[in-house]
Amino acid sequence: MKILLLGASGYVGGALWQSLSARHTVVGTCSRRAVPGLVTVDLRDEAALCALLGQGFDLVIHAAGLVDLASAEAQPALAHALNVRSVEALRTAVRDTPTKILLLSSDNVFDGTGEVYTEEDPRSPVNVYGRTKCAAEDALLGPGGHLVVRIPLVYGRSPWADRFMARFSGPVTQAQTDVVCAPVYLPSLAPALEELWDRQGLLHFAGAEVVTRFALMSRVAEALRLPTRVVPVRNDDVFASPRRPKRLVLRSVHHGFLGPDVAAALADMASGSTEETT
Ligand SMILES: NC(=O)c1ccc[n+]([C@@H]2O[C@H](COP(=O)([O-])OP(=O)(O)OC[C@H]3O[C@@H](n4cnc5c(N)ncnc54)[C@H](OP(=O)(O)O)[C@@H]3O)[C@@H](O)[C@H]2O)c1
């Protein structure tokens, strides 16, 4: 497969790039973070995106954009330009070509009041980030055979933008006891996408185990013997704005793939293995 991976310099994209490059021809992009081997392109430069697409790809994986909830809330126009407009431009650019687009979306399209969310549940975003992801899904789905894969919180190491492990860099790490999800172990994502990318429409992919952020962070710190103290907090006491959905458990009615449970993921991380588990 010849793949264009937008956002290969990011947390999720870096791990996808590393894994998929072993089995496919992957052109990865970066923006502000120059990474050797990646092509620099700004998502807002539609002419540059079109020129890149002119190389001819079987698949475009869109893993770029404004992801941080607070940054999106503070800069809604930028969030729309990166998260929505880029999808509209890509879809137009590949029209009448065989190139398929796979967009990574988020569990933040839901409000977090439901027990479990499948692809059939109505969306109800409560923050700017979630609203841009809804609009991006709408921009891609419909005729064209493209694919949206919604994922929850991702954890695990990433080669050059390790946002998850960076959370443990201080002596104290705050983690919410009232924010729950079925997080995805990052190395399980590339093989899952490879299983799913022949499909079209909307799919969920999540981890097997449902945990609080506090439980996840505590278990990671303990398993890897990290020199940080994970402190329990209530979300609204510490992260009052923007609104964050409290319970986001994604499940699929279309496939049975789940990422590994936390114990298996932590055993993999502790061993330093790069083995992928789905
Ligand atoms: N991380 C999670 O837990 C999580 C959960 C659910 C869904 N997702 C989805 O997964 C995808 C990747 O998220 P992530 O956590 O990997 O985010 P990230 O670490 O913030 O990476 C964002 C990527 O977007 C690129 N980017 C930012 N502004 C750009 C611009 N103007 N032009 C071109 N590229 C630009 C960044 O490039 P530079 O760094 O080089 O500027 C980087 O490669 C997103 O679609 C997100 O919605 C992530």
Side-chain angles (χ1 to χ4, degrees):
M1 287 268 274
K2 188 171 178 194
I3 299 171
L4 174 61
L5 174 56
L6 300 174
S9 55
Y11 171 64
V12 170
L16 291 180
W17 190 84
Q18 226 177 21
S19 177
L20 294 175
S21 293
R23 296 179 290 283
H24 306 275
T25 302
V26 185
V27 174
T29 74
C30 57
S31 175
R32 287 158 304 172
R33 182 194 312 267
V35 176
L38 301 185
V39 177
T40 301
V41 70
D42 192 305
L43 287 176
R44 293 163 294 185
D45 185 345
E46 294 177 17
L49 272 184
C50 282
L52 204 49
L53 287 166
Q55 293 182 21
F57 294 94
D58 302 303
L59 181 70
V60 178
I61 300 179
H62 192 331
L66 192 57
V67 179
D68 176 64
L69 256 56
S71 304
E73 209 72 16
Q75 304 168 86
L78 181 63
H80 187 274
L82 300 184
N83 297 353
V84 185
R85 179 61 207 149
S86 65
V87 178
E88 295 168 347
L90 277 177
R91 187 175 177 190
T92 303
V94 304
R95 198 172 45 206
D96 305 325
T97 78
T99 305
K100 177 172 188 162
I101 301 170
L102 188 170
L103 171 70
L104 286 180
S105 187
S106 160
D107 53 5
N108 266 266
V109 300
F110 299 114
D111 64 12
T113 56
E115 190 65 14
V116 167
Y117 291 100
T118 74
E119 296 92 344
E120 294 177 344
D121 287 305
R123 302 168 305 176
S124 46
V126 297
N127 51 45
V128 168
Y129 171 66
R131 285 193 282 279
T132 63
K133 298 308 275 191
C134 284
E137 292 180 355
D138 293 340
L140 190 64
L141 293 176
H146 302 299
L147 175 63
V148 171
V149 180
R150 285 189 193 135
I151 54 173
L153 174 74
V154 181
Y155 68 104
R157 294 194 183 88
S158 185
W160 35 69
D162 205 340
R163 287 204 287 125
F164 180 76
M165 294 308 292
R167 296 179 194 200
F168 297 94
S169 57
V172 170
T173 306
Q174 294 180 320
Q176 301 100 314
T177 53
D178 56 345
V179 174
V180 174
C181 70
V184 159
Y185 182 48
L186 184 49
S188 73
L189 185 57
L193 295 183
E194 288 178 285
E195 289 285 349
L196 298 173
W197 67 32
D198 285 342
R199 305 190 190 198
Q200 51 184 273
L202 172 66
L203 296 173
H204 286 181
F205 176 66
E209 190 172 340
V210 177
V211 288
T212 66
R213 290 249 180 154
F214 175 69
L216 177 67
M217 304 291 279
S218 302
R219 289 170 68 183
V220 170
E222 189 185 340
L224 303 184
R225 301 174 190 275
L226 300 174
T228 189
R229 191 163 58 88
V230 182
V231 175
V233 294
R234 306 278 301 170
N235 184 74
D236 296 351
D237 293 345
V238 181
F239 310 103
S241 174
R243 272 184 74 192
R244 177 185 292 280
K246 296 286 169 49
R247 184 181 173 87
L248 291 171
V249 178
L250 296 185
R251 290 293 178 250
S252 180
V253 293
H254 298 301
H255 65 85
F257 299 112
L258 286 172
D261 63 22
V262 176
L266 292 182
D268 187 61
M269 283 181 89
S271 75
S273 157
T274 53
E275 199 176 308
E276 293 161 346
T277 334
T278 309

